[in-house]
Amino acid sequence: MNSKKRLKLLLTNDDGIRAQGLNVLADILCKTCDVYILAPEDNRSGVSSHIVMNESLMIKKYGE
């Protein structure tokens, strides 16, 4: 293991956890950084200003 501390990155988007661009970026960055992704389960493009938080968020872990 490298003795240097790795940079920790949080990636997020509004296109969803399965968005191709988000996953390509994560795959590239994970070679040199610890990458964490926080994204909606489904595509939410263009609706972020209309999301109302009446309920708690549910977090699901995908992968390591």
Side-chain angles (χ1 to χ4, degrees), residues 8-45:
K8 295 181 187 323
L9 295 177
L10 176 63
L11 301 181
T12 187
N13 73 0
D14 61 357
D15 296 330
I17 192 74
R18 293 172 201 85
Q20 182 180 6
L22 180 67
N23 288 291
V24 168
L25 182 59
D27 288 343
I28 292 168
L29 291 171
C30 76
K31 295 173 185 172
T32 58
C33 305
D34 293 333
V35 177
Y36 301 88
I37 299 174
L38 182 63
E41 188 169 28
D42 300 312
N43 188 335
R44 296 289 191 181
S45 291

